[in-house]
Amino acid sequence: MKPIRPNDMMLQVTIRIVAIIIFAFSFYLLLAGHNSPGGGFIGGLMTASAILVLYLAFDVKSISKALPINFEMVIGLGLLLALGTGIVSMILGFPFLTQFFDYFQFPVYGEVELTTALPFDIGIYMVVVGAVMAIILRIEEDDI
Amino acid sequence: MSALHFATLTPFLLAILIPFLFKYIKRIHTGWFVLFIPLILFIYFLTFIPVTAAGETLMSSMAWVPSLGINFDLYIDGLSLLFALLITGIGTLIILYSVYYLDKRTEKLNNFYVYMLLFMGAMLGVVLSDNLIVLYVFWEMTSISSSLLISYWYYRDKSIYGAQKSMYITVFGGLSMLAGFSLIYIMAGTFSIQGIVANLEPVVNSPLLLPAMILVLLGAFTKSAQFPFHIWLPDAMEAPTPVSAYLHSATMVKAGIYLVARMTPVFGGNAEWFWIVTAAGLTTMIWGAVSAVRQKDLKAILAFSTVSQLGMIMSLLGAGSAAYYFGDGDNALYVTAIIAAVFHLINHATFKGALFMAAGIIDHETGTRDIRNLGGLLTIMPITATLSFIGLASMAGLPPLNGFLSKEMFFNAMTYITEYGIFGIETWTVILPVVAWIASIFTFLYCAIIFFRTFTGKFRPEKLETRHVHEAPIGMLVSPAILILLVVVIGLFPNILAYSLIEPAMRGILPGMIGAGEFFEVDIYHWHGFNIELMMTIGVVLFGSLLYMTMQKWSKLPFYHRENDVFNTVYDTGYEGLIKGSQFLTRIQMTGRLRDYLMYICAFAILLFIYTMLRFDAFVISTENLSGIDPYMWGLMLLLVASVIAVPFINNRITAIIVTGFAGFLVALMFTVFRAPDLALTQLLIETVSVIMLVLAFKHLPKLWKEKTRPMIKAPRLIISIGVGVMVTLGSISAFTLGGQAGYTGISEFFTENAKSLAGGYNIVNVILVDFRGLDTLMEVLVLGLAAIGVVSMIKLRFKGSEDV
């Protein structure tokens, strides 16, 4: 007799859509952070929860196949990115981690503010996603 | 950044390339690439000789942490240039030698050359830095990189032991040195050595002078292997021979000498400095010489001989420091001592470097360094034998080699020290020259032992590890031959160094002793007539030969067989005691239960809080300026309190998780009420993620069960948890009240005003995170990343049987 597998079709169908919405919202949070609630930390947590929701609805194997990401690596890359923005300002002769911003005119969008804080925030975003996912996946995979 | 800064940092920068060169260019020995680095630096530093010989100095500044007075300032005068030349010059020869010593097929050359370059760069930093803190940083880097070099053959237990020992002892010294530097800063108000020397008044008259002096000397003595810290040096001989030759002839151990020389203008002229440095030097000299005689391993003999020779240089610096007592540069006596110190420093680097390399050749070709098994190598390795003979003769102080010249000057300095008539020397008149003389006899003796035991006598191939013993390849002989050539040339024409290296170095040790445009008189010659120094040398040769000839008799004495230094026992017992003690302390704290850790942290915080609040009488509760509380807030608070209190009484895990989560969401709600959307969002997400994590980890959790604890144990826990609550409440109320009374405005005002103009963002929380407090955030995510990697590795590399992580 095969083990009974609960029928979670409804959950899976819903999650497919919900996860995309959460992803989109998390990116919004990440990018909007400078001027409205949000930022790398919150965005990262939200992305992580989106991925986690996928893991909950589907099994680990298929999600790991769909998202073949080494999250330990993401931690390292994020740290390097955050450090890198600091070092760039150092090379230019400013104190470590000096941030800059300016306003640019883009077609269609109009005036857009670009800051060096954004790559820094993306680095933090990556570390948060990487750390949460690495810890949780390891605990999940572990079977003793 | 000047060219000088680049030169100092070059070894570090180019070390990055080494692993790639090693990995991708297998055909060529990595050492050939490395060779260019010290060679080019050596040539670069040579160009400074005309500058320092003219009595000028060079300072090149770069701001590092200007707010704390820490600047990456490099200073070139005769003293630092001499050391820089030794480091790069001997470094070049060592790298050349190592190309032939280390096999490119079997050795991990990438590790070796990276450590070597790190060490070289750190040494250059030590001798060129003008700022005490920068000097300290480089100083510790030499400790770390040298212990990496010593443990290069890390699979040998002895290498690890030697590396640890050198690290513990030198880092201990380094830390006390840092304390000494801090005291100097308190006295002088600057970290710049030249700044301190230029304005000595506040330092000399301070009561902190003596503690600072002792702490700085601890650093110098541990590094330079002075008695009783010399024990790390013989154990460091486990390193590959090029390392020993480099670290123990010219660089690492000379760093302590450099520090003493550099600090002479600051501390010299005090009776304590004079006595401590001279006495430690002489004790080390005789202790090292006597210990060297007892060793059976070639490199161990050389190690103790290094200890002894360093003691000699140290005692000369001590004797020379008296110049500051008199405050003039005319007295020939202490000037002689300083000349001898600088001169012997150069000489020791040349002959000891060559001798170490020769010992390495013997080890490499015969497979052993034990003098009981060696013998008769004179005809088999004639070139090595010749080189060793000249080097040993120089070390023993035989004419006409350079060792003879500096030894004569040493005797001269020690004999006439009695004429100073200061520091209560009269009573100790005889002891200093006698100790110096006896130590020299033993020096002669072990030189004889090395030569005759290795190269003469019977050749016994059955005792050696290699079959066909033959002369070393020519490449291996080049470096020692160059050094021995220097020994002879300096011996015959010592005055080529007089005004190019020695005199400028003396100006570095004794600045202010003579005016600008004047020069110390340095004239080194062989024949002084039949004076007491010559008699002493003749006596050394006579007694030394006598002792060697009667060696058959006294080598049966138990004294000869006690190879182990008594201080090793002290170190080993102390080390074990430290380990046991820290294990004991750790076992008290680290119970492995989260509950206990929380208890320690909270209890300590409460005690600290109570003390601070009582000490400053800061408990204030006022009901003024309070806003009203909306009725729904009462409901929210009651729910929160009730859910938190409920948690300890729940017996079902799922319920406990849900109730904790409930409390978390309530907190998020409160953030929303107080209009903190960022905090509320974060709190919500954290709660969500932790719920998911708990669900995933659920299967790993053990069954929930209530411990039956006695009230006696429960009571303190209850007190602590209530205490934390009371502390936070009282603390915030008092802070609010006091802040209101004193009219403080919070730092938030600054952020509100400047977030837009300085950082271009409206969300203050985010602007604080990424801009105003960017470094904090960076460190936080660093901790987060480390924690994640820690969790991952703990789960992945869990105990397997008896295997520990």
Side-chain angles (χ1 to χ4, degrees), chain B residues 634-656:
Chain B
W634 283 104
L636 212 59
M637 283 310 293
L638 278 178
L639 267 177
L640 186 60
V641 171
S643 58
V644 169
I645 289 179
V647 174
F649 298 99
I650 296 169
N651 281 326
N652 182 304
R653 177 162 274 141
I654 295 269
T655 323

PDB file of all heavy atoms in Angstrom, chain B residues 634-656:
ATOM      1  N   TRP B 634      -5.350  49.714  26.438  1.00  0.00           N
ATOM      2  CA  TRP B 634      -5.445  48.870  27.639  1.00  0.00           C
ATOM      3  C   TRP B 634      -5.718  47.434  27.228  1.00  0.00           C
ATOM      4  O   TRP B 634      -5.064  46.506  27.710  1.00  0.00           O
ATOM      5  CB  TRP B 634      -6.576  49.359  28.554  1.00  0.00           C
ATOM      6  CG  TRP B 634      -6.208  50.589  29.331  1.00  0.00           C
ATOM      7  CD1 TRP B 634      -6.620  51.858  29.086  1.00  0.00           C
ATOM      8  CD2 TRP B 634      -5.345  50.640  30.460  1.00  0.00           C
ATOM      9  NE1 TRP B 634      -6.074  52.717  29.986  1.00  0.00           N
ATOM     10  CE2 TRP B 634      -5.281  52.005  30.861  1.00  0.00           C
ATOM     11  CE3 TRP B 634      -4.610  49.688  31.176  1.00  0.00           C
ATOM     12  CZ2 TRP B 634      -4.520  52.416  31.944  1.00  0.00           C
ATOM     13  CZ3 TRP B 634      -3.855  50.107  32.260  1.00  0.00           C
ATOM     14  CH2 TRP B 634      -3.804  51.463  32.629  1.00  0.00           C
ATOM     15  N   GLY B 635      -6.682  47.275  26.300  1.00  0.00           N
ATOM     16  CA  GLY B 635      -7.022  45.927  25.851  1.00  0.00           C
ATOM     17  C   GLY B 635      -5.824  45.227  25.227  1.00  0.00           C
ATOM     18  O   GLY B 635      -5.503  44.075  25.544  1.00  0.00           O
ATOM     19  N   LEU B 636      -5.099  45.975  24.377  1.00  0.00           N
ATOM     20  CA  LEU B 636      -3.932  45.419  23.682  1.00  0.00           C
ATOM     21  C   LEU B 636      -2.879  44.958  24.687  1.00  0.00           C
ATOM     22  O   LEU B 636      -2.340  43.842  24.618  1.00  0.00           O
ATOM     23  CB  LEU B 636      -3.368  46.521  22.789  1.00  0.00           C
ATOM     24  CG  LEU B 636      -2.718  46.108  21.479  1.00  0.00           C
ATOM     25  CD1 LEU B 636      -3.716  45.349  20.629  1.00  0.00           C
ATOM     26  CD2 LEU B 636      -2.215  47.337  20.744  1.00  0.00           C
ATOM     27  N   MET B 637      -2.616  45.852  25.668  1.00  0.00           N
ATOM     28  CA  MET B 637      -1.586  45.538  26.656  1.00  0.00           C
ATOM     29  C   MET B 637      -1.975  44.323  27.481  1.00  0.00           C
ATOM     30  O   MET B 637      -1.154  43.443  27.745  1.00  0.00           O
ATOM     31  CB  MET B 637      -1.376  46.733  27.601  1.00  0.00           C
ATOM     32  CG  MET B 637      -0.575  47.862  27.027  1.00  0.00           C
ATOM     33  SD  MET B 637       0.976  47.335  26.281  1.00  0.00           S
ATOM     34  CE  MET B 637       1.875  46.781  27.701  1.00  0.00           C
ATOM     35  N   LEU B 638      -3.256  44.284  27.891  1.00  0.00           N
ATOM     36  CA  LEU B 638      -3.702  43.159  28.715  1.00  0.00           C
ATOM     37  C   LEU B 638      -3.541  41.852  27.966  1.00  0.00           C
ATOM     38  O   LEU B 638      -3.033  40.867  28.510  1.00  0.00           O
ATOM     39  CB  LEU B 638      -5.170  43.357  29.118  1.00  0.00           C
ATOM     40  CG  LEU B 638      -5.361  44.281  30.314  1.00  0.00           C
ATOM     41  CD1 LEU B 638      -6.841  44.467  30.602  1.00  0.00           C
ATOM     42  CD2 LEU B 638      -4.649  43.697  31.539  1.00  0.00           C
ATOM     43  N   LEU B 639      -3.910  41.865  26.686  1.00  0.00           N
ATOM     44  CA  LEU B 639      -3.762  40.652  25.869  1.00  0.00           C
ATOM     45  C   LEU B 639      -2.295  40.226  25.803  1.00  0.00           C
ATOM     46  O   LEU B 639      -1.948  39.056  25.970  1.00  0.00           O
ATOM     47  CB  LEU B 639      -4.253  40.920  24.449  1.00  0.00           C
ATOM     48  CG  LEU B 639      -5.709  40.582  24.149  1.00  0.00           C
ATOM     49  CD1 LEU B 639      -6.031  40.976  22.724  1.00  0.00           C
ATOM     50  CD2 LEU B 639      -5.935  39.093  24.362  1.00  0.00           C
ATOM     51  N   LEU B 640      -1.446  41.196  25.574  1.00  0.00           N
ATOM     52  CA  LEU B 640      -0.018  40.903  25.446  1.00  0.00           C
ATOM     53  C   LEU B 640       0.523  40.286  26.738  1.00  0.00           C
ATOM     54  O   LEU B 640       1.165  39.233  26.729  1.00  0.00           O
ATOM     55  CB  LEU B 640       0.737  42.190  25.112  1.00  0.00           C
ATOM     56  CG  LEU B 640       2.220  42.044  24.797  1.00  0.00           C
ATOM     57  CD1 LEU B 640       2.407  41.137  23.607  1.00  0.00           C
ATOM     58  CD2 LEU B 640       2.853  43.401  24.529  1.00  0.00           C
ATOM     59  N   VAL B 641       0.220  40.960  27.859  1.00  0.00           N
ATOM     60  CA  VAL B 641       0.709  40.463  29.156  1.00  0.00           C
ATOM     61  C   VAL B 641       0.156  39.070  29.421  1.00  0.00           C
ATOM     62  O   VAL B 641       0.904  38.152  29.808  1.00  0.00           O
ATOM     63  CB  VAL B 641       0.311  41.444  30.273  1.00  0.00           C
ATOM     64  CG1 VAL B 641       0.623  40.843  31.637  1.00  0.00           C
ATOM     65  CG2 VAL B 641       1.053  42.757  30.112  1.00  0.00           C
ATOM     66  N   ALA B 642      -1.117  38.901  29.146  1.00  0.00           N
ATOM     67  CA  ALA B 642      -1.726  37.597  29.433  1.00  0.00           C
ATOM     68  C   ALA B 642      -1.078  36.504  28.597  1.00  0.00           C
ATOM     69  O   ALA B 642      -0.730  35.426  29.113  1.00  0.00           O
ATOM     70  CB  ALA B 642      -3.229  37.663  29.140  1.00  0.00           C
ATOM     71  N   SER B 643      -0.830  36.786  27.304  1.00  0.00           N
ATOM     72  CA  SER B 643      -0.270  35.723  26.463  1.00  0.00           C
ATOM     73  C   SER B 643       1.152  35.392  26.883  1.00  0.00           C
ATOM     74  O   SER B 643       1.575  34.227  26.856  1.00  0.00           O
ATOM     75  CB  SER B 643      -0.314  36.123  24.997  1.00  0.00           C
ATOM     76  OG  SER B 643       0.390  37.318  24.809  1.00  0.00           O
ATOM     77  N   VAL B 644       1.910  36.417  27.309  1.00  0.00           N
ATOM     78  CA  VAL B 644       3.292  36.133  27.719  1.00  0.00           C
ATOM     79  C   VAL B 644       3.302  35.317  29.006  1.00  0.00           C
ATOM     80  O   VAL B 644       4.063  34.356  29.154  1.00  0.00           O
ATOM     81  CB  VAL B 644       4.081  37.440  27.878  1.00  0.00           C
ATOM     82  CG1 VAL B 644       5.409  37.175  28.542  1.00  0.00           C
ATOM     83  CG2 VAL B 644       4.288  38.092  26.537  1.00  0.00           C
ATOM     84  N   ILE B 645       2.426  35.704  29.942  1.00  0.00           N
ATOM     85  CA  ILE B 645       2.400  34.962  31.210  1.00  0.00           C
ATOM     86  C   ILE B 645       1.925  33.533  30.986  1.00  0.00           C
ATOM     87  O   ILE B 645       2.366  32.602  31.668  1.00  0.00           O
ATOM     88  CB  ILE B 645       1.491  35.692  32.227  1.00  0.00           C
ATOM     89  CG1 ILE B 645       2.189  36.986  32.673  1.00  0.00           C
ATOM     90  CG2 ILE B 645       1.197  34.817  33.443  1.00  0.00           C
ATOM     91  CD1 ILE B 645       1.388  37.802  33.643  1.00  0.00           C
ATOM     92  N   ALA B 646       1.087  33.327  29.991  1.00  0.00           N
ATOM     93  CA  ALA B 646       0.523  31.995  29.782  1.00  0.00           C
ATOM     94  C   ALA B 646       1.573  30.986  29.304  1.00  0.00           C
ATOM     95  O   ALA B 646       1.489  29.806  29.644  1.00  0.00           O
ATOM     96  CB  ALA B 646      -0.619  32.078  28.772  1.00  0.00           C
ATOM     97  N   VAL B 647       2.575  31.476  28.543  1.00  0.00           N
ATOM     98  CA  VAL B 647       3.503  30.548  27.882  1.00  0.00           C
ATOM     99  C   VAL B 647       4.144  29.516  28.817  1.00  0.00           C
ATOM    100  O   VAL B 647       4.112  28.321  28.523  1.00  0.00           O
ATOM    101  CB  VAL B 647       4.581  31.330  27.091  1.00  0.00           C
ATOM    102  CG1 VAL B 647       5.631  30.398  26.529  1.00  0.00           C
ATOM    103  CG2 VAL B 647       3.926  32.112  25.976  1.00  0.00           C
ATOM    104  N   PRO B 648       4.683  29.910  29.981  1.00  0.00           N
ATOM    105  CA  PRO B 648       5.355  28.896  30.817  1.00  0.00           C
ATOM    106  C   PRO B 648       4.422  27.806  31.324  1.00  0.00           C
ATOM    107  O   PRO B 648       4.878  26.746  31.738  1.00  0.00           O
ATOM    108  CB  PRO B 648       5.899  29.722  31.987  1.00  0.00           C
ATOM    109  CG  PRO B 648       5.878  31.119  31.555  1.00  0.00           C
ATOM    110  CD  PRO B 648       4.792  31.251  30.557  1.00  0.00           C
ATOM    111  N   PHE B 649       3.107  28.065  31.290  1.00  0.00           N
ATOM    112  CA  PHE B 649       2.194  27.086  31.876  1.00  0.00           C
ATOM    113  C   PHE B 649       1.618  26.133  30.845  1.00  0.00           C
ATOM    114  O   PHE B 649       0.791  25.286  31.179  1.00  0.00           O
ATOM    115  CB  PHE B 649       1.053  27.810  32.600  1.00  0.00           C
ATOM    116  CG  PHE B 649       1.555  28.648  33.739  1.00  0.00           C
ATOM    117  CD1 PHE B 649       1.750  30.005  33.601  1.00  0.00           C
ATOM    118  CD2 PHE B 649       1.884  28.048  34.953  1.00  0.00           C
ATOM    119  CE1 PHE B 649       2.237  30.768  34.637  1.00  0.00           C
ATOM    120  CE2 PHE B 649       2.369  28.808  35.999  1.00  0.00           C
ATOM    121  CZ  PHE B 649       2.551  30.170  35.847  1.00  0.00           C
ATOM    122  N   ILE B 650       2.047  26.258  29.600  1.00  0.00           N
ATOM    123  CA  ILE B 650       1.461  25.415  28.558  1.00  0.00           C
ATOM    124  C   ILE B 650       2.265  24.133  28.432  1.00  0.00           C
ATOM    125  O   ILE B 650       3.495  24.145  28.436  1.00  0.00           O
ATOM    126  CB  ILE B 650       1.447  26.170  27.216  1.00  0.00           C
ATOM    127  CG1 ILE B 650       0.547  27.393  27.331  1.00  0.00           C
ATOM    128  CG2 ILE B 650       0.949  25.268  26.095  1.00  0.00           C
ATOM    129  CD1 ILE B 650       0.645  28.335  26.191  1.00  0.00           C
ATOM    130  N   ASN B 651       1.541  23.020  28.317  1.00  0.00           N
ATOM    131  CA  ASN B 651       2.221  21.740  28.259  1.00  0.00           C
ATOM    132  C   ASN B 651       2.318  21.189  26.851  1.00  0.00           C
ATOM    133  O   ASN B 651       3.012  20.213  26.616  1.00  0.00           O
ATOM    134  CB  ASN B 651       1.491  20.710  29.125  1.00  0.00           C
ATOM    135  CG  ASN B 651       1.840  20.923  30.574  1.00  0.00           C
ATOM    136  OD1 ASN B 651       2.969  21.306  30.881  1.00  0.00           O
ATOM    137  ND2 ASN B 651       0.877  20.733  31.454  1.00  0.00           N
ATOM    138  N   ASN B 652       1.637  21.822  25.937  1.00  0.00           N
ATOM    139  CA  ASN B 652       1.633  21.314  24.574  1.00  0.00           C
ATOM    140  C   ASN B 652       2.484  22.232  23.708  1.00  0.00           C
ATOM    141  O   ASN B 652       2.363  23.453  23.750  1.00  0.00           O
ATOM    142  CB  ASN B 652       0.176  21.314  24.076  1.00  0.00           C
ATOM    143  CG  ASN B 652       0.081  20.748  22.694  1.00  0.00           C
ATOM    144  OD1 ASN B 652       0.740  21.226  21.779  1.00  0.00           O
ATOM    145  ND2 ASN B 652      -0.742  19.725  22.540  1.00  0.00           N
ATOM    146  N   ARG B 653       3.369  21.643  22.902  1.00  0.00           N
ATOM    147  CA  ARG B 653       4.320  22.478  22.168  1.00  0.00           C
ATOM    148  C   ARG B 653       3.629  23.352  21.130  1.00  0.00           C
ATOM    149  O   ARG B 653       3.934  24.536  21.000  1.00  0.00           O
ATOM    150  CB  ARG B 653       5.374  21.604  21.504  1.00  0.00           C
ATOM    151  CG  ARG B 653       6.330  22.420  20.683  1.00  0.00           C
ATOM    152  CD  ARG B 653       7.594  21.703  20.362  1.00  0.00           C
ATOM    153  NE  ARG B 653       8.567  21.841  21.417  1.00  0.00           N
ATOM    154  CZ  ARG B 653       9.369  20.879  21.811  1.00  0.00           C
ATOM    155  NH1 ARG B 653       9.274  19.694  21.264  1.00  0.00           N
ATOM    156  NH2 ARG B 653      10.249  21.087  22.753  1.00  0.00           N
ATOM    157  N   ILE B 654       2.707  22.740  20.372  1.00  0.00           N
ATOM    158  CA  ILE B 654       2.024  23.514  19.325  1.00  0.00           C
ATOM    159  C   ILE B 654       1.342  24.731  19.935  1.00  0.00           C
ATOM    160  O   ILE B 654       1.457  25.856  19.433  1.00  0.00           O
ATOM    161  CB  ILE B 654       0.982  22.634  18.611  1.00  0.00           C
ATOM    162  CG1 ILE B 654       1.672  21.501  17.859  1.00  0.00           C
ATOM    163  CG2 ILE B 654       0.126  23.477  17.688  1.00  0.00           C
ATOM    164  CD1 ILE B 654       2.020  21.825  16.438  1.00  0.00           C
ATOM    165  N   THR B 655       0.664  24.499  21.048  1.00  0.00           N
ATOM    166  CA  THR B 655      -0.011  25.621  21.699  1.00  0.00           C
ATOM    167  C   THR B 655       0.998  26.681  22.102  1.00  0.00           C
ATOM    168  O   THR B 655       0.763  27.886  21.912  1.00  0.00           O
ATOM    169  CB  THR B 655      -0.752  25.118  22.955  1.00  0.00           C
ATOM    170  OG1 THR B 655      -1.276  23.832  22.682  1.00  0.00           O
ATOM    171  CG2 THR B 655      -1.857  26.060  23.326  1.00  0.00           C
ATOM    172  N   ALA B 656       2.134  26.227  22.644  1.00  0.00           N
ATOM    173  CA  ALA B 656       3.144  27.193  23.076  1.00  0.00           C
ATOM    174  C   ALA B 656       3.630  28.028  21.896  1.00  0.00           C
ATOM    175  O   ALA B 656       3.764  29.252  21.995  1.00  0.00           O
ATOM    176  CB  ALA B 656       4.321  26.462  23.722  1.00  0.00           C
TER     177      ALA B 656
END
